[in-house]
Amino acid sequence: MPSDTRILIVDDHEDTLYALESALAPLGYQLGRATSGDEALKQVLRGQVGLLLLDVRMPGVSGLEVVRYMRRVEQTQHIPVILLTGFGADHELTTTAFGLGVADLVLKPVDPWALRTKVRYLYDAHRRHLALEREVRRLRALTGEHTETVAHPRPGLPHPDARVPTQRPMGAHAGELEKDRT
């Protein structure tokens, strides 16, 4: 993940944005902010967002609508999302949120220590996941995508350990194998 990747905090209340930024500042990550679902979607689609803290209920496009849209777009479907709500535990909201694949649903007011712990874990895990994807693409480019050779090794090549029998040739049937045993 590029170093300019940030955590995007989305809430329609300025005081909540400030409180969340203050809670996350000790982590040292770059933070971005948005005050609406539309603005959040624009920033997410521009890239460089590695985690989204998203208020559920906002005027216009709600947090759940943002997540629904993100999950349909390949470039954004794996970005971790923590939903924030100030309206208490709601079974329907919880079911919908986790059904959309959000990482967590946090009640406001948030515990800064718990939020920092969750954010650090999710953000770092997402960065590691993206780094592994980049490495896989790099290795595939280096090897020229020789997966067919790996999936179907040439028949009859001896195993480096002479005690291991040679692999049966492609297309060999059980009857042919029986003949080999006798």
Side-chain angles (χ1 to χ4, degrees), residues 10-138:
V10 186
D11 200 294
D12 56 322
H13 293 98
E14 194 69 32
D15 56 337
T16 303
L17 286 172
Y18 179 76
L20 292 170
E21 287 171 336
S22 297
L24 298 177
L27 294 176
Y29 300 135
Q30 287 187 356
L31 303 175
R33 59 166 40 203
T35 57
S36 70
D38 285 330
E39 188 181 343
L41 280 173
K42 288 176 187 172
Q43 288 191 44
V44 167
L45 291 171
R46 278 188 221 122
Q48 310 311 323
V49 173
L51 177 82
L52 195 62
L53 263 71
L54 182 62
D55 187 23
V56 173
R57 292 184 176 98
M58 294 181 289
V61 178
S62 74
L64 288 173
E65 290 171 303
V66 170
V67 176
R68 279 188 189 99
Y69 185 81
M70 287 175 59
R71 296 309 184 227
R72 291 191 306 251
V73 178
E74 185 177 347
Q75 81 185 58
T76 62
Q77 63 188 206
H78 297 294
I79 296 172
V81 175
I82 297 175
L83 283 179
L84 305 166
T85 184
F87 291 96
D90 175 348
H91 179 69
E92 185 178 332
L93 171 61
T94 303
T95 302
T96 302
F98 287 115
L100 290 170
V102 302
D104 203 355
L105 180 63
V106 176
L107 300 176
K108 295 181 204 173
V110 299
D111 173 358
W113 184 86
L115 183 65
R116 280 191 296 271
T117 302
K118 291 174 187 189
V119 165
R120 181 183 309 117
Y121 172 79
L122 291 169
Y123 187 69
D124 290 348
H126 185 65
R127 287 185 356 183
R128 284 190 303 273
H129 174 77
L130 291 179
L132 284 172
E133 283 182 346
R134 278 194 308 276
E135 183 66 11
V136 166
R137 283 193 300 273
R138 186 186 72 76

